[in-house]
Amino acid sequence: MTLVKPIKSAAGKIDSIESIRAGFETLGYITNPQIATSIYLAQNLEKPLLVEGPPGVGKTELAIATAKYLGLPLVRLQCYEGLDESKALYEWKYGKQLLYTQILRETLGEVLQGAKGLPESMKRLHQFSDVFFSEQFLEERPLMKAMRAPAGAVLLIDELDKADQEFESFLLELLSEYQISIPEIGTLKATIKPIVFLTSNNTRELSDALKRRCLHLYIPFPDAELERKIIAARVPDVSVKLRNELVAFIQGLRGLDLKKLPAVSETIDWARTLLLLHANTLDAEMVRTTLNVILKFQDDIEAVGAQLTTLTDEALKAAERPSGSL
Amino acid sequence: MDQTLGDFIKALRNADVRVSSTEVVDAHDVVDLVGYTDREMLKNALALVLPKTADEKGIYDYTFDRFFKFDELDEMEMADRNDAAGEASIVPQQDDTAGQQGQGQGEGGGKGCAQRGAEGEGAPDITGAVQQAEIREKLSALSQMVLSGDRAGIAVAMAEAGEAVGLRNIHIFTQKGLYSRRILEHMGLKALNNDITELRKRDSADAHELAERLRKGREYLLSQVRDYVESQFLLHADVDGSHLREDILSKSRLTNIERRDYRMVQEMVRKMAKRLIAIHSRRRKVYDRGALDIRKTMAKNHAYDGVPFDIRWKSVKIDRPKVVAICDVSGSVAKVAHFMLMFLYSLNEVMPKVRSFAFSGRMGEVTDLFRDSDVETAMSKTLAEWGQGSTDYGRSLQDFAELALNDIDSRTTVIILGDARSNYGDPGSEIMKKIHDRAKWVMWLNPEEKNTWNYADSVMRKFQPYCHQVQVCNSLTHLERIVSMVLRSAT
């Protein structure tokens, strides 16, 4: 069966880019104009939003913040190799189905009572309602849950690049029509179109067909000013001085040739670490002992360790220049 | 359809951003939603719809800034004339009452406009300005714009003229002159020329001065139109040229390709490898083991009263091609090797299981190097490390056997690039035999033409029996064909 109801957008809370920025900021998610615009467009054009960028810049957070902002439930689907529709979309309740067939067999006698010959029995059997493949036996998985959420939902399909290419193609119908086809039942349309986020770390190129159907947002590492704001929002207890210094240090690190550059999540962790250690200012020794919070490869730690003093000095100098830029 | 947006998309496509028609429709929706008023917002909004990779975003930013640039004309000499014109138009009004006494000294008008403006009201040659204003009223629209320094007006006229003569259809650089001339004609250059001739004929210093100013203005106009055509050319044309070039490049011999075209070739290899991987993406096989596929089993066993009789399994085996590539980087093939390495690098990017080896005197594995560094470092390091010494196939294959022979199995494709010139040393063909016996496919790519094989120290005939396939490979077209073959055979 098909649920045919007028499709309308989830909430009217998104009417201008400014209100989105302000609203997200109260939730502790600091946006730049691009990100705010993307939310605005995703809502108004009713298109899925594909978010790409290096790990740890807040791709997943964006979806979570959006759900919070709109007061909608967040339905999350984590992708991995081998993910298929029975885990993503729906599954039949096999146990119940088996029970049903057994009950059916027991009642068969009643149904066929008085029927003469095989043709008439078959006719009666056809008249008997067929619920074996019906919604009663349908087990919801994330995609379907999001489609059928009564008030709409925010659907997050996380790390799509980890799933197989086949799964990508499977998503196309959902992304462009907001409907899904279940062979045994038919087409299921979303009651209220969910807001869809897809994230990718770019371990492989996503197909053009998928990209065509989505808005594409690339979140790069934030610039110093934005990062300071993020730290201010996420770790408010850190003093302005230390905040400027640690952000300057991280920004400096991103200019180096490292295996894995520190992302915003690492900056936040580091700020929390320094706060725990009651640091008031950066010094080379402090940085050295906490370096493993921001760098995740031994090679990187060694490479940075060698030039730690200069890097710290530079960061301290850089932090002084834009003092009070908040 | 919105012409401006259409032109912008065309410009993006020229700059190698792929924009499909669905995305064009989206772009229109976006423009409907946000409008043209807020430039920054338009830029952010379109950036979500048109470019779809990080690289394309960069190109998009650049193209957007250039395309939606407000055509600011150079200041140059226009600035002072602007002031002068401004004063000239203000001064006569103020002087209706005060300036009558200066009437007799009209010949002072020969001095520069700016000077006269600086002398302020009540100056003796105000009437000169009045007369000039009268003369100017009779001039053509373009001349008046030039004289009053109306930059915005000129920019608009220029854009309109560009539109009228179809500047966006410009294709090749030789058309630039033609379009410049057409635009000037459309803007009314003829009338301007007439005005100059006319003014010169007059017997008045004012008129001569105006003529001189118009002449300078014309020069300025010419240079502006040239710049405009140039910038539009860069936005709208070029694409045919670059396609033509790619076409020629793909047929030219690798060794002849000049350094400056290097980047472009690199891009081409990348594009090619990507396309090929898209065609030959991973294939799967269903095996008779793994998790029970309840859905299929249920469906299958309906006929048996739901008793699981015919059991179905879920397990899917993902089969990926495994490639081992060996590359000769000695002096004799160095130039082609450079290229082959680059190609291997691209393969490494798109296929998960490529092991690469390089050799001349000895052989070593460069897989990690290829994976961790960018293409140029990887290549130069490989050449520096393994490109020394004279070729020794026997020794190198021995090294290979130690490094990777055990890793070669019935799913492996082995590609060897080399000229098979072993400096009269032992070619090590018995190791080739071992490789051949273990691998699914062995392919030898020789950069030399077939007729030079087996001449002098080339021992191609000793390797040939142990290869499934032997190919000449010295141009991109060869490479392209070969890669397609690898991916097909390696499934």
Side-chain angles (χ1 to χ4, degrees), chain A residues 223-297:
Chain A
D223 57 18
E225 199 194 330
L226 188 63
E227 194 160 25
R228 279 197 293 272
K229 276 192 198 164
I230 293 171
I231 297 298
R234 283 332 230 354
V235 197
D237 296 339
V238 170
S239 70
V240 178
K241 181 166 178 290
L242 182 61
R243 185 164 70 218
N244 288 348
E245 285 168 4
L246 73 92
V247 168
F249 186 82
I250 295 275
Q251 294 276 339
L253 276 191
R254 294 206 185 111
L256 300 179
D257 177 26
L258 297 175
K259 249 185 187 169
K260 187 190 173 305
L261 295 175
V264 188
S265 50
E266 269 97 25
T267 319
I268 294 173
D269 287 347
W270 198 35
R272 289 198 178 124
T273 312
L274 293 178
L275 193 65
L276 271 180
L277 296 172
H278 303 292
N280 292 319
T281 177
L282 281 193
D283 62 71
E285 217 29 63
M286 176 74 80
V287 175
R288 193 182 302 279
T289 47
T290 54
L291 209 52
N292 54 351
V293 179
I294 39 178
L295 296 174
K296 303 294 162 77
F297 283 95

Coordinates of all heavy atoms in Angstrom, one line a residue, chain A residues 223-297:
Chain A
D223 N 39.2 28.6 9.6 CA 40.2 29.6 9.7 C 40.3 29.9 11.2 O 39.5 29.5 12.0 CB 40.0 30.8 8.9 CG 38.7 31.5 9.1 OD1 38.1 31.2 10.2 OD2 38.2 32.3 8.3
A224 N 41.4 30.7 11.5 CA 41.7 30.9 13.0 C 40.5 31.6 13.7 O 40.1 31.2 14.8 CB 42.9 31.8 13.1
E225 N 39.8 32.5 13.0 CA 38.8 33.2 13.7 C 37.6 32.3 14.1 O 37.1 32.3 15.2 CB 38.3 34.4 12.9 CG 37.5 35.4 13.6 CD 36.8 36.4 12.7 OE1 37.3 36.6 11.6 OE2 35.8 36.9 13.1
L226 N 37.2 31.5 13.1 CA 36.1 30.6 13.3 C 36.5 29.6 14.3 O 35.6 29.2 15.2 CB 35.8 29.9 11.9 CG 34.5 29.1 11.9 CD1 33.3 29.9 12.2 CD2 34.4 28.3 10.6
E227 N 37.7 29.1 14.3 CA 38.1 28.1 15.2 C 38.1 28.6 16.7 O 37.7 27.9 17.6 CB 39.5 27.5 14.9 CG 39.8 26.3 15.6 CD 40.9 25.5 14.9 OE1 41.7 26.1 14.2 OE2 41.0 24.2 15.1
R228 N 38.5 29.9 16.8 CA 38.4 30.5 18.1 C 37.0 30.6 18.6 O 36.7 30.3 19.8 CB 39.0 31.9 18.1 CG 40.6 32.0 18.2 CD 41.0 33.3 18.5 NE 40.8 34.3 17.5 CZ 41.6 34.5 16.5 NH1 42.8 33.9 16.4 NH2 41.3 35.4 15.6
K229 N 36.1 30.9 17.7 CA 34.7 30.9 18.1 C 34.2 29.6 18.5 O 33.4 29.4 19.5 CB 33.8 31.4 17.0 CG 33.8 32.9 16.8 CD 32.7 33.3 15.9 CE 32.9 34.7 15.4 NZ 32.1 35.0 14.2
I230 N 34.6 28.5 17.8 CA 34.2 27.2 18.1 C 34.7 26.8 19.5 O 33.9 26.2 20.3 CB 34.7 26.2 17.0 CG1 34.0 26.5 15.7 CG2 34.4 24.8 17.4 CD1 34.6 25.7 14.5
I231 N 36.0 27.1 19.7 CA 36.5 26.7 21.1 C 35.8 27.5 22.1 O 35.4 27.0 23.2 CB 38.0 27.0 21.1 CG1 38.8 26.2 20.1 CG2 38.6 26.8 22.5 CD1 38.7 24.7 20.4
A232 N 35.5 28.8 21.9 CA 34.8 29.6 22.9 C 33.4 29.0 23.2 O 32.9 29.0 24.3 CB 34.6 31.0 22.3
A233 N 32.8 28.4 22.1 CA 31.4 27.9 22.3 C 31.5 26.5 23.0 O 30.7 26.1 23.8 CB 30.7 27.7 21.0
R234 N 32.5 25.7 22.6 CA 32.6 24.3 23.1 C 33.3 24.2 24.5 O 32.9 23.4 25.3 CB 33.3 23.4 22.1 CG 32.4 23.1 20.9 CD 31.0 23.0 21.2 NE 30.2 21.9 20.8 CZ 30.4 20.8 20.1 NH1 31.6 20.6 19.7 NH2 29.5 19.9 19.9
V235 N 34.3 25.0 24.6 CA 35.1 24.9 25.9 C 35.1 26.3 26.5 O 36.2 27.0 26.4 CB 36.5 24.4 25.7 CG1 37.1 23.9 27.0 CG2 36.5 23.2 24.7
P236 N 34.0 26.8 27.0 CA 34.0 28.2 27.4 C 34.9 28.6 28.5 O 35.2 29.8 28.7 CB 32.5 28.4 27.8 CG 32.0 27.1 28.0 CD 32.8 26.1 27.2
D237 N 35.4 27.6 29.3 CA 36.2 27.9 30.5 C 37.6 28.3 30.2 O 38.3 28.8 31.0 CB 36.2 26.7 31.5 CG 34.8 26.5 32.0 OD1 34.0 27.4 31.9 OD2 34.5 25.4 32.4
V238 N 38.0 28.0 28.9 CA 39.4 28.3 28.6 C 39.6 29.8 28.4 O 38.7 30.5 27.9 CB 39.8 27.6 27.2 CG1 41.1 28.1 26.7 CG2 39.8 26.1 27.4
S239 N 40.6 30.4 29.0 CA 40.8 31.8 29.0 C 41.1 32.3 27.5 O 41.6 31.5 26.7 CB 42.0 32.2 29.8 OG 43.2 31.7 29.2
V240 N 40.8 33.5 27.3 CA 40.9 34.1 26.0 C 42.4 33.9 25.5 O 42.6 33.6 24.3 CB 40.5 35.6 25.9 CG1 40.7 36.2 24.6 CG2 39.1 35.7 26.4
K241 N 43.3 34.2 26.4 CA 44.7 34.1 26.0 C 45.1 32.7 25.5 O 45.6 32.5 24.4 CB 45.5 34.5 27.2 CG 47.0 34.6 27.0 CD 47.7 35.3 28.1 CE 49.2 35.4 28.0 NZ 49.8 34.1 28.1
L242 N 44.8 31.8 26.3 CA 45.1 30.4 26.0 C 44.4 29.9 24.7 O 45.0 29.3 23.9 CB 44.8 29.4 27.1 CG 45.1 28.0 26.9 CD1 46.6 27.8 26.8 CD2 44.6 27.1 28.1
R243 N 43.2 30.4 24.6 CA 42.4 30.0 23.4 C 43.1 30.5 22.1 O 43.3 29.8 21.2 CB 41.0 30.6 23.5 CG 40.1 30.2 22.4 CD 38.7 30.5 22.8 NE 38.4 32.0 22.8 CZ 37.6 32.6 23.7 NH1 37.1 31.9 24.6 NH2 37.4 33.9 23.6
N244 N 43.5 31.8 22.2 CA 44.1 32.3 21.0 C 45.4 31.6 20.7 O 45.7 31.3 19.6 CB 44.5 33.8 21.2 CG 43.2 34.6 21.1 OD1 42.1 34.1 20.7 ND2 43.3 35.9 21.6
E245 N 46.1 31.2 21.8 CA 47.4 30.6 21.6 C 47.3 29.2 21.0 O 48.0 28.8 20.1 CB 48.2 30.5 22.9 CG 48.8 31.8 23.3 CD 49.2 31.8 24.8 OE1 49.2 30.8 25.4 OE2 49.7 32.9 25.2
L246 N 46.3 28.5 21.6 CA 46.2 27.1 21.1 C 45.7 27.0 19.7 O 46.1 26.2 18.9 CB 45.5 26.2 22.1 CG 43.9 26.3 22.3 CD1 43.2 25.3 21.4 CD2 43.6 25.9 23.7
V247 N 44.8 27.9 19.4 CA 44.3 27.9 18.0 C 45.4 28.3 17.0 O 45.6 27.7 16.0 CB 43.1 28.9 17.9 CG1 42.8 29.2 16.4 CG2 41.9 28.4 18.6
A248 N 46.2 29.3 17.4 CA 47.3 29.7 16.6 C 48.3 28.5 16.4 O 48.8 28.3 15.3 CB 48.1 30.9 17.2
F249 N 48.5 27.7 17.4 CA 49.4 26.6 17.3 C 48.8 25.5 16.4 O 49.5 25.0 15.5 CB 49.6 26.0 18.7 CG 50.6 24.9 18.7 CD1 52.0 25.2 18.8 CD2 50.2 23.5 18.6 CE1 52.9 24.2 18.8 CE2 51.2 22.5 18.7 CZ 52.5 22.8 18.7
I250 N 47.6 25.2 16.5 CA 46.9 24.2 15.6 C 47.0 24.7 14.2 O 47.3 24.0 13.3 CB 45.5 24.0 16.1 CG1 45.4 23.4 17.4 CG2 44.7 23.1 15.0 CD1 45.6 21.9 17.5
Q251 N 46.7 26.0 14.0 CA 46.7 26.5 12.6 C 48.1 26.4 12.0 O 48.2 26.1 10.9 CB 46.3 28.0 12.6 CG 44.8 28.3 13.0 CD 43.8 28.1 11.9 OE1 44.2 28.2 10.7 NE2 42.6 27.8 12.2
G252 N 49.1 26.6 12.9 CA 50.5 26.4 12.4 C 50.7 25.0 12.0 O 51.3 24.7 11.0
L253 N 50.2 24.1 12.8 CA 50.4 22.6 12.6 C 49.8 22.2 11.2 O 50.4 21.4 10.5 CB 49.8 21.8 13.6 CG 50.5 21.5 14.9 CD1 49.8 20.4 15.7 CD2 51.9 21.0 14.6
R254 N 48.7 22.8 10.9 CA 48.0 22.5 9.6 C 48.9 22.9 8.4 O 48.6 22.4 7.3 CB 46.6 23.1 9.6 CG 45.7 22.5 10.6 CD 44.3 22.6 10.2 NE 43.5 22.1 11.3 CZ 42.7 22.9 12.1 NH1 42.5 24.2 11.7 NH2 42.0 22.5 13.1
G255 N 49.8 23.8 8.6 CA 50.7 24.1 7.5 C 51.8 23.2 7.3 O 52.5 23.3 6.3
L256 N 52.0 22.2 8.2 CA 53.1 21.3 8.1 C 52.7 20.1 7.3 O 51.5 19.8 7.0 CB 53.5 20.8 9.5 CG 54.0 21.9 10.4 CD1 54.4 21.3 11.8 CD2 55.2 22.6 9.8
D257 N 53.7 19.3 6.9 CA 53.4 18.1 6.1 C 53.3 16.9 7.0 O 54.2 16.3 7.3 CB 54.6 18.0 5.1 CG 54.4 16.7 4.3 OD1 53.2 16.3 4.1 OD2 55.4 16.1 3.8
L258 N 52.0 16.7 7.4 CA 51.8 15.6 8.4 C 50.9 14.5 7.8 O 50.2 14.8 6.8 CB 51.1 16.1 9.7 CG 51.9 17.2 10.5 CD1 51.1 17.7 11.6 CD2 53.2 16.6 11.0
K259 N 51.0 13.3 8.4 CA 50.1 12.2 7.9 C 48.7 12.6 8.1 O 47.9 12.4 7.3 CB 50.5 11.0 8.6 CG 51.2 9.9 7.8 CD 51.4 8.7 8.6 CE 52.3 7.7 7.8 NZ 52.7 6.6 8.6
K260 N 48.4 13.0 9.4 CA 47.0 13.3 9.7 C 47.0 14.7 10.4 O 47.5 14.8 11.5 CB 46.3 12.3 10.5 CG 44.9 12.6 10.7 CD 44.2 11.8 11.7 CE 42.8 12.3 12.0 NZ 42.7 13.7 12.3
L261 N 46.4 15.7 9.7 CA 46.4 17.0 10.3 C 45.3 17.0 11.4 O 44.3 16.4 11.3 CB 46.0 18.0 9.2 CG 47.0 18.2 8.1 CD1 46.5 19.1 7.0 CD2 48.3 18.7 8.6
P262 N 45.6 17.8 12.5 CA 44.6 17.9 13.6 C 43.4 18.6 13.1 O 43.5 19.6 12.4 CB 45.4 18.7 14.6 CG 46.4 19.4 13.9 CD 46.8 18.6 12.7
A263 N 42.2 18.1 13.4 CA 41.0 18.7 13.0 C 40.3 19.4 14.2 O 41.0 19.5 15.3 CB 40.0 17.6 12.5
V264 N 39.2 19.9 14.0 CA 38.5 20.7 15.1 C 38.3 19.9 16.3 O 38.5 20.4 17.4 CB 37.2 21.3 14.6 CG1 36.6 22.3 15.6 CG2 37.3 22.0 13.3
S265 N 37.9 18.6 16.1 CA 37.6 17.8 17.2 C 38.9 17.6 18.1 O 38.8 17.6 19.3 CB 37.1 16.4 16.8 OG 38.0 15.9 15.8
E266 N 40.0 17.6 17.4 CA 41.3 17.5 18.2 C 41.6 18.8 19.0 O 42.0 18.8 20.1 CB 42.5 17.2 17.3 CG 42.7 15.7 17.1 CD 42.1 15.1 15.8 OE1 41.9 15.9 14.9 OE2 41.8 13.9 15.8
T267 N 41.3 19.9 18.3 CA 41.5 21.2 19.0 C 40.6 21.3 20.3 O 41.1 21.7 21.3 CB 41.1 22.4 18.1 OG1 41.5 22.1 16.8 CG2 41.7 23.7 18.5
I268 N 39.4 20.8 20.1 CA 38.5 20.8 21.3 C 39.0 19.9 22.4 O 39.1 20.3 23.6 CB 37.1 20.4 20.9 CG1 36.5 21.4 19.9 CG2 36.2 20.3 22.1 CD1 35.2 21.1 19.3
D269 N 39.4 18.7 22.0 CA 40.0 17.8 23.0 C 41.2 18.4 23.7 O 41.4 18.3 24.9 CB 40.4 16.5 22.3 CG 39.2 15.7 21.9 OD1 38.1 16.0 22.4 OD2 39.4 14.7 21.2
W270 N 42.0 19.0 22.9 CA 43.2 19.6 23.4 C 42.9 20.8 24.4 O 43.5 20.9 25.5 CB 44.1 20.1 22.3 CG 45.5 20.3 22.7 CD1 46.3 19.6 23.5 CD2 46.4 21.4 22.2 NE1 47.5 20.1 23.6 CE2 47.6 21.2 22.8 CE3 46.2 22.4 21.3 CZ2 48.7 22.0 22.6 CZ3 47.3 23.2 21.0 CH2 48.6 23.0 21.7
A271 N 41.9 21.6 24.0 CA 41.5 22.7 24.9 C 41.1 22.1 26.2 O 41.4 22.6 27.3 CB 40.4 23.5 24.2
R272 N 40.3 21.0 26.2 CA 39.8 20.4 27.4 C 41.0 19.9 28.2 O 41.0 20.0 29.5 CB 38.8 19.3 27.1 CG 37.5 19.8 26.5 CD 36.4 18.8 26.6 NE 35.2 19.4 26.1 CZ 34.5 18.9 25.1 NH1 34.8 17.7 24.6 NH2 33.4 19.5 24.7
T273 N 41.9 19.2 27.5 CA 43.1 18.7 28.2 C 43.9 19.8 28.9 O 44.2 19.7 30.1 CB 44.0 18.0 27.2 OG1 43.2 17.2 26.4 CG2 45.1 17.2 27.9
L274 N 44.1 20.9 28.2 CA 44.9 22.0 28.8 C 44.1 22.6 30.0 O 44.7 23.0 31.0 CB 45.2 23.0 27.8 CG 46.1 22.6 26.6 CD1 46.3 23.7 25.6 CD2 47.5 22.2 27.2
L275 N 42.8 22.6 29.9 CA 42.0 23.1 31.0 C 42.2 22.3 32.2 O 42.3 22.8 33.3 CB 40.6 23.1 30.5 CG 39.6 24.0 31.4 CD1 40.0 25.4 31.3 CD2 38.2 23.8 30.9
L276 N 42.2 20.9 32.0 CA 42.3 20.0 33.1 C 43.7 20.2 33.8 O 43.8 20.0 35.0 CB 42.2 18.6 32.6 CG 40.8 18.0 32.6 CD1 40.9 16.5 32.0 CD2 40.2 18.0 34.0
L277 N 44.7 20.5 33.0 CA 46.0 20.6 33.5 C 46.3 22.0 34.1 O 47.4 22.4 34.4 CB 47.1 20.3 32.4 CG 47.0 18.9 31.8 CD1 48.0 18.8 30.7 CD2 47.4 17.9 32.9
H278 N 45.2 22.8 34.1 CA 45.3 24.2 34.6 C 46.4 25.0 33.9 O 47.1 25.8 34.5 CB 45.6 24.2 36.1 CG 44.6 23.4 36.9 ND1 43.3 23.9 37.0 CD2 44.6 22.2 37.5 CE1 42.6 23.0 37.7 NE2 43.4 22.0 38.0
A279 N 46.5 24.9 32.6 CA 47.4 25.7 31.9 C 46.9 27.1 31.7 O 45.7 27.3 31.5 CB 47.7 25.0 30.6
N280 N 47.8 28.1 31.8 CA 47.3 29.5 31.5 C 47.9 29.9 30.2 O 47.3 30.8 29.6 CB 47.8 30.4 32.6 CG 47.1 30.1 33.9 OD1 45.9 29.8 33.9 ND2 47.9 30.1 35.0
T281 N 49.0 29.4 29.8 CA 49.6 29.7 28.6 C 50.3 28.5 28.0 O 50.6 27.6 28.7 CB 50.6 30.9 28.8 OG1 51.2 31.2 27.5 CG2 51.6 30.6 29.8
L282 N 50.6 28.6 26.7 CA 51.3 27.5 26.1 C 52.8 27.6 26.4 O 53.4 28.7 26.4 CB 51.1 27.5 24.6 CG 49.8 27.0 23.9 CD1 50.1 26.9 22.4 CD2 49.4 25.7 24.5
D283 N 53.4 26.5 26.7 CA 54.9 26.5 26.7 C 55.3 25.1 26.1 O 54.5 24.2 26.1 CB 55.5 26.7 28.1 CG 55.1 25.6 29.0 OD1 55.6 24.5 28.9 OD2 54.3 25.9 29.9
A284 N 56.5 25.1 25.6 CA 57.0 24.0 24.8 C 56.8 22.7 25.6 O 56.4 21.6 25.0 CB 58.4 24.2 24.4
E285 N 57.1 22.7 26.9 CA 57.0 21.5 27.7 C 55.6 20.9 27.8 O 55.3 19.8 27.6 CB 57.6 21.8 29.1 CG 58.4 20.6 29.7 CD 59.1 19.7 28.6 OE1 60.0 20.2 27.8 OE2 58.7 18.6 28.5
M286 N 54.7 21.9 28.0 CA 53.3 21.5 28.1 C 52.8 20.9 26.8 O 52.1 19.9 26.8 CB 52.5 22.8 28.5 CG 51.0 22.6 28.5 SD 50.5 21.7 30.0 CE 50.5 23.1 31.2
V287 N 53.2 21.6 25.7 CA 52.8 21.1 24.4 C 53.3 19.7 24.2 O 52.6 18.8 23.7 CB 53.2 22.0 23.3 CG1 52.9 21.4 21.9 CG2 52.6 23.4 23.4
R288 N 54.6 19.5 24.6 CA 55.2 18.2 24.3 C 54.5 17.0 25.0 O 54.2 16.0 24.5 CB 56.7 18.2 24.8 CG 57.5 17.0 24.2 CD 58.9 17.1 24.8 NE 59.6 18.3 24.4 CZ 60.2 18.5 23.2 NH1 60.1 17.6 22.3 NH2 60.8 19.6 22.9
T289 N 54.1 17.3 26.3 CA 53.4 16.2 27.0 C 52.0 15.9 26.5 O 51.5 14.9 26.7 CB 53.3 16.6 28.5 OG1 52.9 17.9 28.6 CG2 54.7 16.4 29.2
T290 N 51.4 16.9 25.9 CA 50.0 16.7 25.4 C 49.9 16.5 23.9 O 48.8 16.5 23.4 CB 49.1 17.9 25.8 OG1 49.7 19.1 25.3 CG2 49.0 18.0 27.3
L291 N 51.0 16.4 23.3 CA 51.0 16.3 21.8 C 50.2 15.1 21.3 O 49.6 15.2 20.2 CB 52.5 16.2 21.3 CG 52.7 16.8 19.9 CD1 52.2 18.2 19.8 CD2 54.2 16.7 19.6
N292 N 50.2 14.1 22.1 CA 49.4 12.9 21.6 C 47.9 13.1 21.6 O 47.2 12.3 21.0 CB 49.8 11.7 22.5 CG 49.5 11.9 23.9 OD1 49.3 13.1 24.3 ND2 49.6 10.9 24.7
V293 N 47.4 14.2 22.1 CA 46.0 14.5 22.0 C 45.7 15.0 20.6 O 44.6 14.7 20.1 CB 45.6 15.6 23.1 CG1 44.1 15.9 22.9 CG2 45.9 15.1 24.4
I294 N 46.6 15.8 20.0 CA 46.3 16.4 18.7 C 46.9 15.6 17.6 O 46.4 15.7 16.4 CB 46.7 17.8 18.6 CG1 48.1 18.0 19.3 CG2 45.7 18.7 19.2 CD1 48.6 19.4 19.2
L295 N 47.9 14.8 17.8 CA 48.5 14.1 16.7 C 48.4 12.6 16.9 O 48.6 12.1 18.0 CB 50.0 14.4 16.5 CG 50.3 15.9 16.2 CD1 51.8 16.2 16.2 CD2 49.7 16.2 14.8
K296 N 47.9 11.9 15.9 CA 47.6 10.5 16.1 C 48.6 9.5 15.5 O 48.3 8.3 15.5 CB 46.2 10.2 15.6 CG 45.1 11.1 16.2 CD 44.9 10.9 17.6 CE 44.2 12.0 18.4 NZ 42.8 12.1 18.2
F297 N 49.7 10.0 15.0 CA 50.7 9.1 14.4 C 52.0 9.3 15.1 O 52.4 10.5 15.3 CB 50.8 9.3 12.9 CG 49.7 8.6 12.1 CD1 48.6 9.3 11.7 CD2 49.8 7.3 11.8 CE1 47.6 8.7 11.0 CE2 48.7 6.7 11.1 CZ 47.7 7.4 10.7

